[in-house]
């Protein structure tokens, strides 16, 4: 008998007479079901079939995994978690942990918990990722915020011992495990502290000693294990860092080799640091052909950037040669000079960087000529600006009482800097390895305005020689020399001038001569020789010989007759002697070279020997340009006072009212001592000696 046919209820219902269009709906429904795609999402509970394997097979597989992988598996499926956290899986965890080299697990922590403490990266309190602070002795891994919030400092004497025994409460600290981390020493978890405090208060006085002994042993064991874990963690971190470094180096070498094969040798020699810092290069991943295809367009674009930098550096070299050569050819080489870092204040020169350098270009030639014409005014404005910057810096940073008043106009600020008493010193001092700074420290004039602007520690300097990147002029290496300023103020007052208004030009015009009281007294004992100093050499004398002595009242100024005698023996330098001469013939052949001579005779001799020019053919201002040279030209020779006394005694015999020193409350006593010294040496004789004997001076 054939099987009985059954009716499909859905079809029967759809083909009912009262359902119009039933055949069409049935056909379309079947077609829709046939075209409907199947769901391809993840299947739920797929890992549950892994546990169907025999346990011994699973354990053998799990033993080959890292503890970090075991932790991840235990968190993926309940059945796997049950298998891995079962006591029978202890050997699996033990072998996996032993393979990492970490110290053995202590008895007070389970194997999975120990693996989580060592190899997880999240904070145990807030679940924040990358919690890098491990408190091994506290069995905790916390982020910095939770460490600050959850750790408390263990007090030393705040825990009272209720048993009444004195001198025991300070031992409580030895019973509490504390963090070995450097930032959290003597700190523990708040819960651990409360538990230890309650246990400490609950023990009987008779059991204190035994309790302390037991807790000390436990504490020492915990801390020793924590130290070994910290050492392991440090070694692991170093190994991981070294491995990443080697991967970066290998990737860098492979990329450089491929770029050189593409013909970028010059670009790599110029911009190797740019390549090394590129995000596609500085990665701890091996370079493969697939990765190279991905990063090649970015690196080719980088090479184009390097080419543009090379072209700009070439323009910088040309502009710097133009600046140091033609623009500064006739400028004072001992004054502060601009460099590439200061071009913002020289817009006409800076404009040369923005166009292609071509000697045949009319536009470039026009800009060069405009830069030459505007440069002197821009240079003067720039130097004045530096003086204002220096004044503002000193007004803000000099200690009280402030020597720089709060003035508003630039003229007032420059006037204060031009005072004879305004001198500076180098903040770096002998710690600076710059030989120019060391030389200037023994030339006091070099630290007066405006020559201090050219101090070696303030001028712009290159910090990237390849790309000609220069720093700007900065005053941060200078400080106001208060004590030396007070020494000069004493000299200014002896000249009858006001230290608040007298300039260096005023002191030079006065041309006073001074002697040091301390050296005069020492000469009585035969240890020193008093000399006549100019005001600058007097300041240098104090700076080199008596920096620890009282700066006020140390000097005696010679009287008019004595000063005239000293000027005759050591006349002041003339204007020509104050100048140095720069050879323009040498500067034209090498714009960066400054050949300078201290006097005109040496300059003309150089022109004859080096350039074959006769003496009468050298024109000042054309062949040789006068340089200021103020900071390096020495003062007139000093004269020993005893050499002056013979001539002065003759004048004294004719007129007994003459004074060797300008009269001050104690100058006569020093003069008499000097006369006695001179008489003993036979410098005073004849009628002058007789006159002195009559006056009972000898």
């Amino acid at each position: 008998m054939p099987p009985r046919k059954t009716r499909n209820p859905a079809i029967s219902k759809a083909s009912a007479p009262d359902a119009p269009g039933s055949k069409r709906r049935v056909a379309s429904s079947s077609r829709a079901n046939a075209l409907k795609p199947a769901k391809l999402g993840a299947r739920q509970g797929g890992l549950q079939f892994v546990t169907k394997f025999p346990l011994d097979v699973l354990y053998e597989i799990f033993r080959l995994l890292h503890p970090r992988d075991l932790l991840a598996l235990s968190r993926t499926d309940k059945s796997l978690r049950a298998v891995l956290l079962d006591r029978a899986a202890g050997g699996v965890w033990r072998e996996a942990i032993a393979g990492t080299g970490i110290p053995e697990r202590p008895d007070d922590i389970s194997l999975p918990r120990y693996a989580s403490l060592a190899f997880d990266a999240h904070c145990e309190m807030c679940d924040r990722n990358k919690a890098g602070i491990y408190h091994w002795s506290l069995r905790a891994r916390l982020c910095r915020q939770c460490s600050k919030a959850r750790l408390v400092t263990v007090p030393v004497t705040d825990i009272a011992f209720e048993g009444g025994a004195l001198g025991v409460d300070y031992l409580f600290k030895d019973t509490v495990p504390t963090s070995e981390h450097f930032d959290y020493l003597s700190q523990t978890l708040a819960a651990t502290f409360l538990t230890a405090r309650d246990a400490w208060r609950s023990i009987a006085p008779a059991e204190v000693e035994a309790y302390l002994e037991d807790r000390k042993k436990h504490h020492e064991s915990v801390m020793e294990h924590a130290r070994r874990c910290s050492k392991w963690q440090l070694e692991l971190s170093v190994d991981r860092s070294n491995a990443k470094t080697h991967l970066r180096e290998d990737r860098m070498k492979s990329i450089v080799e491929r770029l050189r094969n593409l013909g970028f040798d010059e670009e790599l020699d110029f911009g190797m640091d740019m390549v090394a810092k590129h995000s596609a290069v500085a990665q701890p991943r091996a370079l493969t052909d697939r990765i190279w295809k991905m990063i090649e367009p970015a690196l080719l674009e980088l090479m184009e950037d390097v080419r543009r930098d090379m072209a700009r550096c070439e323009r910088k070299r040309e502009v710097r040669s133009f600046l140091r050569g033609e623009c500064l050819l006739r400028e004072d080489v001992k004054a502060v000079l601009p460099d590439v870092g200061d071009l913002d204040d020289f817009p006409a020169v800076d404009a040369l960087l923005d166009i292609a350098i071509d000697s045949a270009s009319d536009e470039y030639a026009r800009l060069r000529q405009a830069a030459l014409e505007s440069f002197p005014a821009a240079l003067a404005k720039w130097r004045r600006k530096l003086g204002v910057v220096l004044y503002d810096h000193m007004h803000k940073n000099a200690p009280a009482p402030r020597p720089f008043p709060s003035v508003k106009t630039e003229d007032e600020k420059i006037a204060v800097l031009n005072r004879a008493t305004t001198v500076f010193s180098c903040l770096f001092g002998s710690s600076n390895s710059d030989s120019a700074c060391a030389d200037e420290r023994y030339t006091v004039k070099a630290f007066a305005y405006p020559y201090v602007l050219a101090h070696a520690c303030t001028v712009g300097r290159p910090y990237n020689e390849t790309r000609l990147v220069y720093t700007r002029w900065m005053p941060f290496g200078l400080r106001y020399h208060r004590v030396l300023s007070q020494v000069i103020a004493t000299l200014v007052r002896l000249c009858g001038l006001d230290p608040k208004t007298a300039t260096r030009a005023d002191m030079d015009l006065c041309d006073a001569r001074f002697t040091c009281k301390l050296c005069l007294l020492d000469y009585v004992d035969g240890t020193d020789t008093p000399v006549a100093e100019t005001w600058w050499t007097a300041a240098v004398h104090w700076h080199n010989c008596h920096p620890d002595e009282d700066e006020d009242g140390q000097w005696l100024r010679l009287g008019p007759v004595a000063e005239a005698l000293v000027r005759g023996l050591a006349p002041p330098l003339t204007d020509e002697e104050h100048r140095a001469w720069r050879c323009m013939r040498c500067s034209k052949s090498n714009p960066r070279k400054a050949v300078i001579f201290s006097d005109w005779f040496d300059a003309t001799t150089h022109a004859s020997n080096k350039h074959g020019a006769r003496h009468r053919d050298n024109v000042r201002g054309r062949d040789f340009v006068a340089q200021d040279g103020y900071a390096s030209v020495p003062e007139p020779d000093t004269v020993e006072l005893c050499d002056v006394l013979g001539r002065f005694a003759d004048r004294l015999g004719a007129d007994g009212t003459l004074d060797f020193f300008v009269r001050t409350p104690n100058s006569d006593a020093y003069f008499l001592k000097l006369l006695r010294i001179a008489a003993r040496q036979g410098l005073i004789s004849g009628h002058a000696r007789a006159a002195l004997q009559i006056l009972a001076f000898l």
Side-chain angles (χ1 to χ4, degrees):
M1 174 181 281
R4 184 179 178 180
K5 297 182 179 180
T6 59
R7 296 175 61 186
N8 190 333
I11 298 177
S12 299
K13 184 176 180 181
S15 60
D18 55 348
S22 59
K23 293 183 178 180
R24 183 180 58 81
R25 280 197 294 269
V26 169
S28 61
S29 176
S30 302
R31 191 181 304 111
N33 292 332
L35 297 177
K36 188 174 182 180
K39 293 183 178 180
L40 300 177
R43 294 192 302 173
Q44 299 295 325
L47 289 176
Q48 62 183 347
F49 297 104
V50 176
T51 58
K52 303 300 183 181
F53 286 93
L55 287 182
D56 55 347
V57 175
L58 286 179
Y59 288 160
E60 290 299 325
I61 296 174
F62 291 159
R63 283 188 175 92
L64 303 177
L65 300 180
H66 192 275
R68 192 180 296 107
D69 301 325
L70 294 179
L71 291 171
L73 284 174
S74 67
R75 294 163 182 164
T76 56
D77 186 82
K78 289 184 178 180
S79 57
L80 275 177
R81 184 177 181 84
V83 170
L84 287 171
L85 297 186
D86 190 81
R87 288 182 177 273
V92 174
W93 289 94
R94 193 175 294 105
E95 291 188 25
I97 292 175
T100 63
I102 190 174
E104 292 185 4
R105 172 188 63 94
D107 296 334
D108 59 345
I109 186 173
S110 66
L111 284 166
R113 176 73 181 88
Y114 189 50
S116 175
L117 176 63
F119 300 106
D120 274 339
H122 61 275
C123 175
E124 297 178 352
M125 297 294 181
C126 66
D127 244 4
R128 184 180 283 109
N129 196 18
K130 295 183 180 180
I133 301 179
Y134 288 75
H135 304 284
W136 292 100
S137 56
L138 305 181
R139 311 292 189 248
R141 182 185 62 258
L142 307 176
C143 64
R144 189 167 299 276
Q145 289 79 2
C146 291
S147 295
K148 293 180 179 179
R150 302 301 182 99
L151 298 184
V152 295
T153 302
V154 180
V156 179
T157 58
D158 293 347
I159 308 302
F161 184 68
E162 294 182 352
L166 299 178
V168 182
D169 53 348
Y170 73 91
L171 298 175
F172 168 75
K173 186 177 182 180
D174 296 336
T175 67
V176 185
T178 56
S179 176
E180 77 286 351
H181 196 279
F182 180 78
D183 295 333
Y184 305 95
L185 297 177
S186 302
Q187 293 189 15
T188 189
L189 291 170
T192 304
F193 167 72
L194 294 177
T195 302
R197 184 191 65 181
D198 295 341
W200 176 257
R201 289 177 173 177
S202 64
I203 60 176
E207 300 175 357
V208 170
E209 185 175 353
Y211 181 81
L212 283 175
E213 186 67 25
D214 179 66
R215 295 306 302 171
K216 282 184 177 181
K217 289 182 180 179
H218 176 72
H219 185 266
E220 292 175 359
S221 174
V222 169
M223 296 306 295
E224 174 61 26
H225 181 266
R227 283 190 289 270
R228 289 191 287 117
C229 287
S230 298
K231 181 180 179 181
W232 167 82
Q233 184 182 5
L234 177 61
E235 293 175 351
L236 187 66
S237 176
V238 171
D239 293 341
R240 189 182 299 114
S241 177
N242 291 337
K244 290 183 178 180
T245 301
H246 293 324
L247 285 175
R248 290 191 185 95
E249 291 176 352
D250 294 341
R251 184 186 181 96
M252 175 73 176
K253 291 179 181 178
S254 300
I255 290 175
V256 169
E257 183 179 357
R258 291 177 184 248
L259 289 175
R260 289 192 183 277
N261 292 335
L262 294 177
F264 294 110
D265 290 332
E266 294 183 3
E267 290 79 359
L268 290 172
D269 294 339
F270 178 83
M272 186 65 73
D273 55 338
M274 297 177 62
V275 177
K277 294 177 182 178
H278 195 273
S279 59
V281 179
Q283 294 184 13
R285 298 175 60 188
L287 184 68
T288 62
D289 292 337
R290 183 181 64 84
I291 294 177
W292 170 252
K293 291 180 180 179
M294 295 172 57
I295 67 175
E296 184 178 7
L299 293 177
L300 294 179
E301 183 178 354
L302 175 63
M303 291 295 100
E304 293 298 325
D305 294 339
V306 173
R307 281 179 177 174
R308 285 191 290 270
D309 285 352
M310 292 174 62
R312 184 166 180 82
C313 285
E314 183 62 27
R315 291 198 296 272
K316 279 187 178 181
R317 290 188 182 91
E318 293 291 338
V319 172
R320 187 169 189 265
S321 178
F322 169 73
L323 174 69
R324 305 295 291 179
E326 298 181 42
C327 292
L328 297 174
L329 192 62
R330 296 176 180 272
E331 294 297 331
D332 183 3
V333 294
K334 297 193 177 299
V336 59
L337 302 177
D339 215 315
V340 177
D342 304 299
L343 287 185
D344 291 343
D345 294 294
F346 299 86
V349 181
D350 192 38
L352 296 175
L353 293 174
D354 299 329
I355 65 172
I357 294 179
D358 184 2
S359 58
S361 172
D362 295 338
E363 178 65 14
Y364 184 69
R366 185 187 65 80
L367 290 177
R368 282 172 61 95
Q369 185 61 32
L372 283 173
E373 293 175 355
S374 63
F375 185 78
L379 180 63
K381 182 179 179 181
W382 177 70
R383 287 175 174 171
R384 184 179 179 86
K385 173 188 173 182
L386 298 189
V388 174
V389 172
L390 174 62
Y391 186 94
D392 293 339
H393 175 74
M394 292 299 166
H395 174 71
K396 180 180 179 180
N397 297 283
R402 291 185 176 178
F404 297 90
S406 181
V407 296
K408 297 181 179 180
T409 66
E410 292 185 0
D411 292 337
E412 291 175 325
K413 294 178 180 179
I414 299 300
V416 175
L417 293 176
N418 280 322
R419 291 176 185 174
T421 55
T422 303
V423 289
F424 303 88
S425 62
C426 181
L427 184 63
F428 303 114
S430 58
S431 62
N432 196 343
S433 59
D434 195 327
S435 59
C437 175
D439 293 340
E440 289 178 359
R441 285 190 290 111
Y442 299 101
T443 307
V444 178
K445 284 185 179 181
F447 285 99
Y449 178 82
Y451 306 98
V452 70
L453 299 179
H455 180 60
C457 298
T458 62
V459 296
R461 61 185 66 237
Y463 63 87
N464 190 322
E465 291 283 2
T466 303
R467 290 177 173 78
L468 286 181
V469 182
Y470 276 63
T471 60
R472 297 174 63 88
W473 183 94
M474 295 180 295
F476 304 123
L478 301 176
R479 61 181 174 182
Y480 178 67
H481 202 321
R482 186 181 301 275
V483 179
L484 186 56
S485 297
Q486 293 173 353
V487 172
I488 297 176
T490 302
L491 301 173
V492 172
R493 282 190 288 268
L494 287 175
C495 293
L497 302 175
D498 185 1
K500 294 183 179 180
T501 59
T503 64
R504 294 183 305 278
D506 296 333
M507 291 295 290
D508 288 340
L509 183 63
C510 183
D511 195 26
R513 303 303 170 99
F514 307 89
T515 189
C516 175
K517 290 182 182 179
L518 298 176
C519 294
L520 187 59
L521 289 174
D522 291 340
Y523 188 65
V524 175
D525 300 330
T527 57
D528 206 344
T529 302
V531 294
E533 309 268 11
T534 62
W535 75 283
W536 266 120
T537 54
V540 176
H541 173 83
W542 175 89
H543 185 270
N544 295 335
C545 300
H546 310 294
D548 299 327
E549 301 293 340
D550 183 12
E551 67 277 1
D552 194 14
Q554 177 183 338
W555 305 100
L556 293 171
R557 181 185 175 185
L558 276 62
V561 176
E563 280 187 345
L565 294 174
V566 172
R567 293 191 190 102
L569 296 175
L573 297 177
T574 63
D575 290 340
E576 293 298 328
E577 291 173 320
H578 269 291
R579 293 181 177 179
W581 297 96
R582 179 178 183 178
C583 180
M584 300 304 293
R585 297 183 178 95
C586 294
S587 296
K588 289 179 180 179
S589 62
N590 187 353
R592 301 181 182 182
K593 186 177 182 181
V595 182
I596 302 175
F597 302 94
S598 58
D599 55 53
W600 180 252
F601 177 77
D602 290 342
T604 55
T605 303
H606 162 79
S608 176
N609 297 335
K610 180 71 174 179
H611 306 291
R614 295 176 298 181
H615 285 257
R616 63 175 179 268
D617 293 336
N618 295 304
V619 179
R620 302 183 186 189
R622 186 193 69 184
D623 302 311
F624 289 92
V625 174
Q627 305 290 326
D628 190 312
Y630 186 85
S632 61
V633 173
E635 290 289 323
D637 292 335
T638 57
V639 181
E640 293 185 7
L641 294 188
C642 292
D643 295 339
V644 186
L645 281 178
R647 301 185 184 188
F648 184 80
D650 295 336
R651 303 290 296 272
L652 180 62
D655 187 354
T657 62
L658 297 176
D659 293 316
F660 194 81
F661 297 116
V662 172
R663 284 190 176 273
T664 58
N666 57 355
S667 60
D668 290 339
Y670 285 95
F671 177 48
L672 293 179
K673 290 179 181 179
L674 190 61
L675 288 178
R676 293 190 181 98
I677 295 169
R680 293 190 192 122
Q681 294 186 352
L683 296 176
I684 302 177
S685 59
H687 60 276
R689 182 179 182 85
L692 293 175
Q693 289 176 342
I694 295 174
L695 294 174
F697 283 171
L698 302 180

